[in-house]
Amino acid sequence: MNETSIIKVSDEIQEALKERKPVVALESTLISHGLPSPLNIDVALKAESILRDLNVVPATAALIDGYLRVGLNPKEIELLGSSNEVTKTSFNNLGEVIANKSLGATTVASTMFAAYKSGIKVFATGGIGGVHRGSEADISADLKALSDLPVAVVCAGVKSILDIPKTLEALETLGVPIIGYKTDIFPEFWTTGRGLKLKITASEAKEAALLLKAHWEIGLNTGQLVAVPIPKEKSVDQEIVENAVNESLNEAAEAGITGNAISPFLLKKVSEASGGLTLEANVDLILNNVQVAGEVATQMAND
Ligand code: PSU
Ligand code: MN
């Protein structure tokens, strides 16, 4: 079997790409490991319908039966959102999940890879991984993907459970542009941000598309971030987030949680510690990012 036959892109997506119609990639780790069931299934289906309403083809990625699939049907999305046997899949275990034909959810890194291999330029998620707080050796493979793969990731910045200033430094070193969408402050996932300044901003989707294209047209081949703040009225209070994150980090240390289990553990604990506020915000910011990604992809396809 060759590489391309392991990657299966749906007919609809192949057709859309051939006709240069807008397509937006979506990941599946936030479905299987980021949000509780059955809310996760609702969010995943809603994300697809937001794109369809914009005449953009959704391309949710996952690993099913030994294939890296791009474009799922609703039954497959439900399976990812309800099964307890979904492997969170990044670069280090993509081959293993394919070989064992197990059910796998794609992270930002592996979804960028799926998008790149299929010719999709725009991808929407919640927040990217980065440098973990307190354990600087734990750096998400999302940063490697952003360094290596020319895909635009529309996100609400970096998850607030991480060390955000250190993650921003790493992105700068890797040469990954960060385009603030209607903001010059770096969004911090559940909050609009504490004031870390951005140098590049776009006031509308068309401008974001122009900036993204210019970076690639000159021959740079990294990923790019379109950083979209959570809508102001939905932003969680910074102090509530900080307290909930600190409490959850302590619990993670006590429970000895390590590796790729840390992010899902922290997301769940922070939600509990904030009385559900961060969970609600997580849903809001994901759907908001999907809307912006659809608009940006439409502009990218417009010429
Ligand atoms: N955005 C969300 N929820 C999530 C994620 C993103 O709103 O759960 C996932 C993404 O798949 C991202 C992963 O790649 O969290 C980061 O995990 P880690 O820190 O283990 O690299
Ligand atoms: Mn990690």
Side-chain angles (χ1 to χ4, degrees):
M1 208 189 292
N2 64 30
E3 179 194 87
T4 39
S5 68
I6 300 178
I7 303 176
K8 268 198 194 171
V9 183
S10 77
D11 291 344
E12 186 196 15
I13 293 167
Q14 283 189 45
E15 195 70 16
L17 291 168
K18 220 184 291 161
E19 292 172 15
R20 299 184 157 274
K21 289 190 181 145
V23 177
V24 167
L26 299 167
E27 62 147 299
S28 42
T29 292
L30 68 80
I31 307 175
S32 63
H33 291 74
L35 299 169
S37 192
L39 173 70
N40 55 355
I41 299 168
D42 282 353
V43 173
L45 296 174
K46 184 83 202 296
E48 294 218 342
S49 79
I50 287 171
L51 293 173
R52 294 225 177 262
D53 287 348
L54 292 167
N55 284 317
V56 174
V57 180
T60 305
L63 292 127
I64 303 177
D65 296 334
Y67 293 97
L68 174 52
R69 295 271 312 277
V70 180
L72 304 181
N73 64 43
K75 280 262 160 306
E76 290 164 334
I77 288 180
E78 271 170 40
L79 177 65
L80 282 160
S82 54
S83 165
N84 291 323
E85 272 152 33
V86 189
T87 305
K88 178 176 165 183
T89 312
S90 188
F91 293 146
N92 64 334
N93 60 345
L94 195 52
E96 185 240 345
V97 172
I98 295 280
N100 290 333
K101 297 188 167 34
S102 33
L103 189 59
T106 53
T107 60
V108 167
S110 47
T111 309
M112 283 183 77
F113 178 72
Y116 167 67
K117 285 287 188 182
S118 347
I120 301 168
K121 304 301 283 181
V122 181
F123 157 36
T125 182
I128 62 162
V131 183
H132 278 273
R133 293 198 202 184
S135 58
E136 282 137 49
D138 184 351
I139 298 176
S140 175
D142 293 356
L143 296 187
K144 176 176 169 48
L146 281 160
S147 160
D148 293 350
L149 304 170
V151 173
V153 182
V154 181
C155 62
V158 178
K159 280 177 287 175
S160 331
I161 52 176
L162 301 168
D163 188 323
I164 296 180
K166 284 211 177 77
T167 304
L168 285 175
E169 290 292 345
L171 287 166
E172 187 179 355
T173 304
L174 298 170
V176 175
I178 305 173
I179 301 167
Y181 192 75
K182 298 184 181 174
T183 185
D184 64 351
I185 293 190
F186 190 65
E188 299 191 20
F189 201 58
W190 299 300
T191 75
T192 49
R194 77 186 90 155
L196 297 169
K197 280 278 187 185
L198 291 175
K199 296 191 190 82
I200 312 172
T201 65
S203 57
E204 53 178 359
K206 192 175 175 180
E207 196 182 351
L210 272 172
L211 289 163
L212 292 171
K213 281 188 185 179
H215 177 82
W216 288 323
E217 271 167 14
I218 195 80
L220 292 166
N221 274 316
T222 67
Q224 304 191 63
L225 289 188
V226 178
V228 186
I230 185 170
K232 230 191 214 104
E233 68 280 7
K234 309 215 162 140
S235 177
V236 184
D237 181 77
Q238 184 79 42
E239 204 180 312
I240 293 178
V241 168
E242 269 315 299
N243 290 339
V245 168
N246 288 330
E247 195 179 317
S248 306
L249 282 167
N250 288 337
E251 282 186 57
E254 271 164 34
I257 310 283
T258 55
N260 74 353
I262 290 186
S263 294
F265 179 90
L266 289 176
L267 288 177
K268 183 163 176 274
K269 288 292 167 193
V270 173
S271 160
E272 288 164 12
S274 69
L277 283 176
T278 59
L279 177 58
E280 213 177 295
N282 201 349
V283 173
D284 291 333
L285 68 87
I286 290 168
L287 299 178
N288 187 52
N289 293 345
V290 170
Q291 172 78 29
V292 172
E295 291 169 11
V296 172
T298 302
Q299 291 299 328
M300 300 270 291
N302 261 353
D303 64 2

